[in-house]
Coordinates of all heavy atoms in Angstrom, one line a residue:
H1 N -27.0 32.2 47.9 CA -27.7 33.2 47.2 C -29.1 33.5 47.8 O -29.6 32.6 48.5 CB -27.8 32.8 45.7 CG -28.8 31.7 45.4 ND1 -28.5 30.4 45.6 CD2 -30.1 31.8 45.0 CE1 -29.6 29.7 45.3 NE2 -30.5 30.5 44.9
P2 N -29.6 34.6 47.5 CA -30.9 35.0 48.2 C -32.0 34.1 47.6 O -32.0 33.6 46.5 CB -31.2 36.4 47.7 CG -30.3 36.7 46.6 CD -29.2 35.7 46.7
T3 N -33.0 33.8 48.5 CA -34.2 33.0 48.1 C -35.1 33.8 47.2 O -35.2 35.1 47.3 CB -34.9 32.5 49.3 OG1 -35.3 33.6 50.1 CG2 -34.1 31.6 50.1
R4 N -35.7 33.2 46.3 CA -36.6 33.8 45.4 C -38.0 33.2 45.5 O -38.2 32.1 45.9 CB -36.2 33.6 43.9 CG -34.9 34.2 43.6 CD -34.6 34.0 42.1 NE -34.5 32.6 41.8 CZ -34.5 32.1 40.6 NH1 -34.6 32.9 39.6 NH2 -34.5 30.8 40.4
E5 N -39.0 34.0 45.3 CA -40.4 33.5 45.3 C -40.7 32.9 43.9 O -40.4 33.5 42.9 CB -41.3 34.7 45.5 CG -42.2 34.5 46.7 CD -43.2 35.7 46.8 OE1 -44.2 35.7 46.2 OE2 -42.8 36.6 47.6
K6 N -41.2 31.7 43.9 CA -41.6 31.1 42.7 C -42.8 31.7 42.1 O -43.8 31.7 42.8 CB -41.7 29.6 42.9 CG -41.9 28.8 41.6 CD -42.0 27.3 42.0 CE -42.3 26.5 40.7 NZ -42.4 25.1 41.0
K7 N -42.8 32.1 40.8 CA -44.0 32.7 40.2 C -44.5 31.9 39.1 O -45.7 31.8 38.8 CB -43.7 34.1 39.7 CG -43.5 35.1 40.8 CD -43.4 36.5 40.2 CE -43.4 37.5 41.3 NZ -43.5 38.8 40.8
G8 N -43.6 31.2 38.3 CA -44.0 30.5 37.1 C -43.5 29.1 37.2 O -42.9 28.6 38.1
A9 N -43.8 28.3 36.1 CA -43.4 26.9 36.0 C -41.8 26.8 36.0 O -41.2 27.6 35.4 CB -43.9 26.3 34.8
A10 N -41.3 25.9 36.8 CA -39.9 25.6 36.8 C -39.4 25.1 35.4 O -40.2 24.5 34.7 CB -39.5 24.6 37.9
L11 N -38.2 25.3 35.1 CA -37.6 24.8 33.9 C -37.8 23.3 33.8 O -38.0 22.7 32.7 CB -36.2 25.2 33.7 CG -36.0 26.7 33.5 CD1 -34.5 27.0 33.4 CD2 -36.7 27.3 32.3
V12 N -37.7 22.6 34.9 CA -37.8 21.1 34.9 C -39.2 20.7 34.5 O -39.4 19.8 33.7 CB -37.5 20.6 36.3 CG1 -37.8 19.1 36.4 CG2 -36.0 20.8 36.7
A13 N -40.2 21.5 35.0 CA -41.6 21.2 34.6 C -41.8 21.4 33.1 O -42.5 20.7 32.4 CB -42.6 22.0 35.4
I14 N -41.2 22.5 32.6 CA -41.3 22.8 31.1 C -40.6 21.7 30.3 O -41.2 21.2 29.3 CB -40.7 24.2 30.8 CG1 -41.5 25.3 31.5 CG2 -40.6 24.4 29.3 CD1 -40.8 26.6 31.5
A15 N -39.5 21.2 30.8 CA -38.8 20.1 30.1 C -39.6 18.9 30.1 O -39.8 18.2 29.1 CB -37.4 19.8 30.8
D16 N -40.3 18.5 31.2 CA -41.1 17.4 31.3 C -42.3 17.5 30.3 O -42.7 16.5 29.7 CB -41.6 17.2 32.7 CG -40.6 16.7 33.7 OD1 -39.5 16.2 33.2 OD2 -40.8 16.8 34.9
K17 N -42.9 18.7 30.2 CA -44.0 18.9 29.4 C -43.7 18.7 27.9 O -44.5 18.1 27.2 CB -44.5 20.3 29.6 CG -45.8 20.7 28.8 CD -46.3 22.1 29.1 CE -47.5 22.4 28.3 NZ -48.0 23.8 28.6
Y18 N -42.5 19.1 27.4 CA -42.2 19.1 26.0 C -41.2 18.0 25.6 O -41.0 17.8 24.4 CB -41.7 20.5 25.6 CG -42.7 21.5 25.7 CD1 -42.6 22.6 26.5 CD2 -43.8 21.5 24.9 CE1 -43.5 23.6 26.6 CE2 -44.8 22.5 24.9 CZ -44.6 23.5 25.8 OH -45.6 24.5 25.9
K19 N -40.6 17.3 26.6 CA -39.6 16.3 26.2 C -40.2 15.2 25.4 O -41.3 14.7 25.7 CB -39.0 15.7 27.5 CG -37.8 14.9 27.3 CD -37.1 14.5 28.6 CE -35.7 14.9 28.5 NZ -35.0 14.8 29.7
G20 N -39.6 14.8 24.4 CA -40.0 13.7 23.5 C -41.0 14.1 22.5 O -41.4 13.3 21.6
K21 N -41.5 15.3 22.5 CA -42.4 15.8 21.5 C -41.6 16.4 20.3 O -40.6 17.1 20.5 CB -43.3 16.9 22.1 CG -44.2 16.3 23.1 CD -45.2 17.3 23.6 CE -46.1 16.7 24.6 NZ -47.1 17.6 25.1
P22 N -42.0 16.0 19.1 CA -41.3 16.5 17.9 C -41.2 18.0 17.8 O -40.2 18.5 17.2 CB -42.0 15.8 16.7 CG -43.3 15.4 17.3 CD -43.2 15.2 18.7
D23 N -42.2 18.7 18.3 CA -42.1 20.1 18.2 C -41.8 20.8 19.5 O -42.0 22.0 19.7 CB -43.5 20.6 17.7 CG -44.6 20.3 18.6 OD1 -44.4 19.4 19.5 OD2 -45.7 20.8 18.5
G24 N -41.2 20.1 20.4 CA -40.8 20.6 21.7 C -39.9 21.8 21.7 O -40.2 22.8 22.3
V25 N -38.8 21.7 20.9 CA -37.9 22.9 20.8 C -38.6 24.1 20.2 O -38.5 25.2 20.7 CB -36.7 22.5 20.0 CG1 -35.8 23.7 19.6 CG2 -35.8 21.5 20.7
D26 N -39.4 23.8 19.2 CA -40.1 24.9 18.5 C -41.1 25.6 19.5 O -41.3 26.8 19.5 CB -40.9 24.5 17.3 CG -40.0 24.0 16.2 OD1 -38.9 24.6 16.1 OD2 -40.4 23.1 15.4
K27 N -41.8 24.9 20.3 CA -42.7 25.5 21.3 C -42.0 26.3 22.3 O -42.5 27.4 22.7 CB -43.6 24.4 21.9 CG -44.6 23.8 21.0 CD -45.6 23.0 21.7 CE -46.6 22.4 20.6 NZ -47.9 22.8 20.9
I28 N -40.9 25.8 22.8 CA -40.1 26.6 23.8 C -39.6 27.9 23.1 O -39.6 28.9 23.7 CB -39.0 25.7 24.4 CG1 -39.6 24.6 25.2 CG2 -38.0 26.6 25.2 CD1 -38.6 23.6 25.8
V29 N -39.1 27.7 21.9 CA -38.6 28.9 21.1 C -39.7 29.9 21.0 O -39.5 31.1 21.2 CB -38.0 28.5 19.8 CG1 -37.8 29.7 18.9 CG2 -36.7 27.7 19.9
K30 N -40.9 29.5 20.7 CA -42.0 30.4 20.5 C -42.3 31.2 21.8 O -42.5 32.4 21.8 CB -43.2 29.7 20.0 CG -44.4 30.6 19.8 CD -45.6 29.8 19.3 CE -46.8 30.7 19.1 NZ -48.0 30.0 18.6
Q31 N -42.3 30.4 22.9 CA -42.5 31.0 24.3 C -41.4 32.1 24.5 O -41.7 33.2 25.1 CB -42.4 30.0 25.4 CG -43.6 29.1 25.4 CD -44.7 29.6 26.3 OE1 -44.9 30.8 26.4 NE2 -45.5 28.8 26.8
L32 N -40.2 31.8 24.2 CA -39.1 32.7 24.5 C -39.1 34.0 23.6 O -38.7 35.0 24.0 CB -37.7 32.0 24.3 CG -37.4 30.9 25.2 CD1 -36.2 30.1 24.8 CD2 -37.2 31.4 26.7
M33 N -39.7 33.8 22.4 CA -39.6 34.9 21.4 C -40.9 35.8 21.3 O -40.8 36.9 20.9 CB -39.4 34.3 20.0 CG -38.1 33.6 19.8 SD -36.7 34.6 19.8 CE -37.0 35.6 18.3
T34 N -42.0 35.3 21.8 CA -43.3 36.0 21.5 C -43.9 36.7 22.7 O -44.7 37.5 22.6 CB -44.3 35.1 20.9 OG1 -44.6 34.0 21.8 CG2 -43.9 34.5 19.6
G35 N -43.5 36.3 23.9 CA -44.1 36.9 25.1 C -45.5 36.7 25.3 O -46.3 37.6 25.6
P36 N -46.0 35.4 25.2 CA -47.4 35.2 25.4 C -47.9 35.4 26.9 O -47.0 35.5 27.8 CB -47.6 33.7 25.0 CG -46.3 33.1 25.4 CD -45.3 34.2 25.1
K37 N -49.2 35.4 27.1 CA -49.7 35.5 28.5 C -49.4 34.2 29.2 O -49.6 33.1 28.6 CB -51.2 35.8 28.5 CG -51.6 37.1 27.9 CD -51.4 38.2 29.0 CE -51.9 39.5 28.5 NZ -51.6 40.6 29.4
V38 N -49.0 34.2 30.4 CA -48.8 33.0 31.2 C -49.4 33.2 32.6 O -49.5 34.3 33.1 CB -47.3 32.7 31.4 CG1 -46.6 32.2 30.1 CG2 -46.5 33.8 32.0
K39 N -49.9 32.1 33.1 CA -50.6 32.1 34.4 C -49.6 31.9 35.5 O -48.9 30.9 35.5 CB -51.7 31.1 34.5 CG -52.6 31.3 35.7 CD -53.8 30.3 35.6 CE -54.8 30.8 34.6 NZ -56.0 30.2 34.6
M40 N -49.5 32.8 36.4 CA -48.6 32.7 37.6 C -49.1 31.6 38.6 O -50.3 31.5 38.8 CB -48.4 34.0 38.3 CG -47.8 35.1 37.4 SD -46.1 34.8 36.9 CE -46.2 34.3 35.3
L41 N -48.1 30.9 39.1 CA -48.5 29.8 40.1 C -48.9 30.4 41.4 O -49.8 29.8 42.1 CB -47.3 28.9 40.3 CG -46.8 28.1 39.1 CD1 -45.6 27.3 39.4 CD2 -47.9 27.2 38.6
D42 N -48.4 31.5 41.8 CA -48.7 32.0 43.2 C -50.1 32.6 43.3 O -50.8 32.3 44.2 CB -47.6 32.9 43.7 CG -47.4 34.1 42.8 OD1 -48.0 34.2 41.7 OD2 -46.6 35.0 43.1
D43 N -50.5 33.4 42.4 CA -51.8 34.1 42.5 C -52.7 33.9 41.3 O -53.8 34.4 41.3 CB -51.6 35.6 42.7 CG -50.8 36.3 41.6 OD1 -50.6 35.6 40.6 OD2 -50.4 37.4 41.8
K44 N -52.3 33.0 40.4 CA -53.1 32.7 39.2 C -53.4 33.8 38.2 O -54.2 33.7 37.4 CB -54.4 32.0 39.6 CG -54.3 30.8 40.5 CD -53.5 29.7 39.9 CE -53.5 28.5 40.8 NZ -52.3 27.7 40.6
K45 N -52.7 35.0 38.4 CA -52.9 36.1 37.5 C -52.2 35.8 36.3 O -51.2 35.1 36.2 CB -52.4 37.4 38.1 CG -53.2 37.9 39.3 CD -52.6 39.2 39.8 CE -53.3 39.7 41.0 NZ -52.7 40.9 41.5
E46 N -52.6 36.4 35.2 CA -51.9 36.3 33.9 C -51.0 37.5 33.7 O -51.3 38.6 34.0 CB -52.9 36.2 32.7 CG -53.5 34.9 32.6 CD -54.3 34.7 31.3 OE1 -54.4 35.6 30.5 OE2 -54.7 33.5 31.1
E47 N -49.8 37.2 33.3 CA -48.8 38.2 33.0 C -48.1 37.9 31.6 O -48.2 36.8 31.2 CB -47.7 38.2 34.0 CG -48.1 38.6 35.4 CD -46.9 38.7 36.4 OE1 -45.8 38.5 36.0 OE2 -47.2 38.8 37.6
D48 N -47.6 38.9 31.0 CA -46.8 38.7 29.8 C -45.5 38.0 30.1 O -44.8 38.3 31.0 CB -46.5 40.0 29.1 CG -47.7 40.7 28.5 OD1 -48.6 40.0 28.1 OD2 -47.7 42.0 28.5
H49 N -45.2 36.9 29.3 CA -44.0 36.2 29.5 C -42.9 37.1 29.0 O -43.0 37.8 28.0 CB -44.0 34.9 28.7 CG -42.9 33.9 28.9 ND1 -41.7 34.1 28.3 CD2 -42.9 32.9 29.7 CE1 -40.9 33.1 28.8 NE2 -41.6 32.3 29.6
K50 N -41.8 37.1 29.7 CA -40.6 37.9 29.3 C -40.0 37.4 28.0 O -39.9 36.2 27.8 CB -39.6 38.0 30.4 CG -40.0 38.7 31.6 CD -39.0 38.9 32.6 CE -39.5 39.8 33.6 NZ -39.3 39.4 34.9
I51 N -39.7 38.3 27.1 CA -39.0 37.9 25.8 C -37.5 37.9 26.0 O -37.0 38.8 26.6 CB -39.4 38.9 24.7 CG1 -41.0 38.8 24.5 CG2 -38.7 38.6 23.4 CD1 -41.5 39.9 23.6
I52 N -36.9 36.9 25.5 CA -35.4 36.8 25.6 C -34.8 38.0 24.8 O -35.3 38.4 23.8 CB -35.0 35.4 25.1 CG1 -33.6 35.1 25.5 CG2 -35.1 35.3 23.6 CD1 -33.2 33.7 25.4
D53 N -33.6 38.4 25.3 CA -32.9 39.6 24.7 C -32.3 39.3 23.4 O -32.4 40.2 22.5 CB -31.8 40.1 25.7 CG -32.4 40.7 26.9 OD1 -33.5 41.2 26.9 OD2 -31.6 40.7 27.9
T54 N -31.8 38.2 23.1 CA -31.1 37.9 21.9 C -32.1 37.6 20.8 O -33.2 37.0 21.0 CB -30.1 36.7 22.0 OG1 -29.4 36.6 20.8 CG2 -30.8 35.4 22.3
K55 N -31.8 37.9 19.5 CA -32.6 37.5 18.4 C -31.8 36.4 17.5 O -32.3 36.1 16.5 CB -32.8 38.7 17.5 CG -33.6 39.8 18.2 CD -34.9 39.4 18.7 CE -35.6 40.5 19.4 NZ -36.5 40.0 20.4
D56 N -30.7 35.9 18.0 CA -29.9 34.9 17.4 C -30.6 33.6 17.5 O -30.7 33.0 18.5 CB -28.5 34.9 18.0 CG -27.6 33.9 17.3 OD1 -28.0 32.8 16.8 OD2 -26.4 34.2 17.2
D57 N -31.1 33.1 16.3 CA -31.9 31.8 16.3 C -31.1 30.7 16.9 O -31.6 29.8 17.6 CB -32.4 31.5 14.9 CG -33.3 30.4 14.9 OD1 -34.4 30.4 15.5 OD2 -33.0 29.3 14.2
K58 N -29.8 30.6 16.6 CA -28.9 29.5 17.0 C -28.8 29.5 18.6 O -28.9 28.5 19.2 CB -27.6 29.6 16.4 CG -26.7 28.4 16.7 CD -25.3 28.5 16.0 CE -24.5 27.3 16.3 NZ -23.2 27.4 15.7
Q59 N -28.7 30.7 19.1 CA -28.6 30.8 20.6 C -29.9 30.4 21.3 O -29.9 29.7 22.3 CB -28.2 32.2 21.0 CG -26.7 32.5 20.8 CD -26.4 33.9 21.3 OE1 -27.2 34.8 21.4 NE2 -25.1 34.1 21.5
I60 N -31.0 30.9 20.7 CA -32.3 30.6 21.3 C -32.6 29.1 21.2 O -33.1 28.5 22.1 CB -33.4 31.4 20.6 CG1 -33.1 32.9 20.8 CG2 -34.8 31.0 21.0 CD1 -33.9 33.8 20.0
R61 N -32.3 28.5 20.1 CA -32.5 27.0 19.9 C -31.6 26.2 20.9 O -32.0 25.2 21.4 CB -32.3 26.6 18.5 CG -33.4 27.1 17.6 CD -33.3 26.5 16.2 NE -34.6 26.4 15.5 CZ -35.7 25.8 15.8 NH1 -35.8 25.3 17.0 NH2 -36.7 25.7 15.1
N62 N -30.4 26.7 21.1 CA -29.5 26.1 22.0 C -30.1 26.1 23.4 O -30.0 25.2 24.2 CB -28.1 26.8 21.9 CG -27.1 26.1 22.8 OD1 -27.0 24.8 22.8 ND2 -26.3 26.8 23.5
L63 N -30.6 27.3 23.8 CA -31.3 27.4 25.1 C -32.5 26.5 25.3 O -32.6 25.8 26.3 CB -31.7 28.9 25.3 CG -32.5 29.2 26.6 CD1 -31.7 28.8 27.9 CD2 -32.9 30.6 26.7
A64 N -33.3 26.4 24.2 CA -34.5 25.5 24.3 C -34.0 24.1 24.4 O -34.6 23.3 25.2 CB -35.3 25.7 23.0
A65 N -33.0 23.7 23.7 CA -32.4 22.3 23.8 C -31.9 22.0 25.2 O -32.1 21.0 25.8 CB -31.4 22.1 22.7
W66 N -31.2 23.0 25.8 CA -30.7 22.9 27.2 C -31.9 22.7 28.2 O -31.8 21.9 29.0 CB -29.9 24.1 27.5 CG -29.4 24.1 28.9 CD1 -28.3 23.4 29.4 CD2 -29.9 24.9 30.0 NE1 -28.1 23.7 30.7 CE2 -29.1 24.6 31.2 CE3 -31.0 25.7 30.2 CZ2 -29.4 25.1 32.4 CZ3 -31.2 26.3 31.4 CH2 -30.4 26.0 32.5
I67 N -32.9 23.5 28.0 CA -34.1 23.3 28.9 C -34.6 21.9 28.7 O -34.9 21.2 29.7 CB -35.2 24.4 28.5 CG1 -34.7 25.8 28.9 CG2 -36.5 24.0 29.2 CD1 -35.6 26.9 28.4
L68 N -34.8 21.4 27.5 CA -35.3 20.0 27.3 C -34.4 19.0 27.8 O -34.8 17.9 28.1 CB -35.6 19.8 25.8 CG -36.8 20.4 25.2 CD1 -36.9 20.2 23.7 CD2 -38.1 19.9 25.9
S69 N -33.1 19.3 27.9 CA -32.1 18.3 28.4 C -32.3 17.9 29.9 O -31.8 16.9 30.3 CB -30.7 18.8 28.2 OG -30.4 19.7 29.1
G70 N -33.0 18.8 30.6 CA -33.2 18.5 32.0 C -32.1 19.0 32.9 O -32.1 18.8 34.1
K71 N -31.1 19.6 32.3 CA -29.9 20.1 33.0 C -30.2 21.4 33.8 O -29.3 21.9 34.5 CB -28.7 20.3 32.1 CG -28.2 19.0 31.5 CD -27.1 19.2 30.6 CE -26.6 17.9 30.0 NZ -25.6 18.1 29.0
A72 N -31.4 21.9 33.7 CA -31.8 23.1 34.4 C -32.2 22.9 35.8 O -32.9 23.8 36.4 CB -32.9 23.8 33.6
K73 N -31.8 21.8 36.4 CA -32.3 21.5 37.8 C -31.5 22.3 38.8 O -30.4 22.6 38.8 CB -32.1 20.0 38.1 CG -33.0 19.2 37.2 CD -32.8 17.7 37.5 CE -33.7 16.9 36.7 NZ -33.6 15.5 36.9

């Protein structure tokens, strides 16, 4: 597959940050749903985080749990 330029934190880094925290899933869900400003790794500019397309809470929580599982390597 084509190479991509890394702009933000890898899913593994996000999993490491929130793993074991009681509100880890909730924090990831909030990131996915609200589109907060995030600092890019390459140029340190702030951009709006992309909002996930689905509004299905079960699917979003499942995605957050998958990120925390560390299987996103």
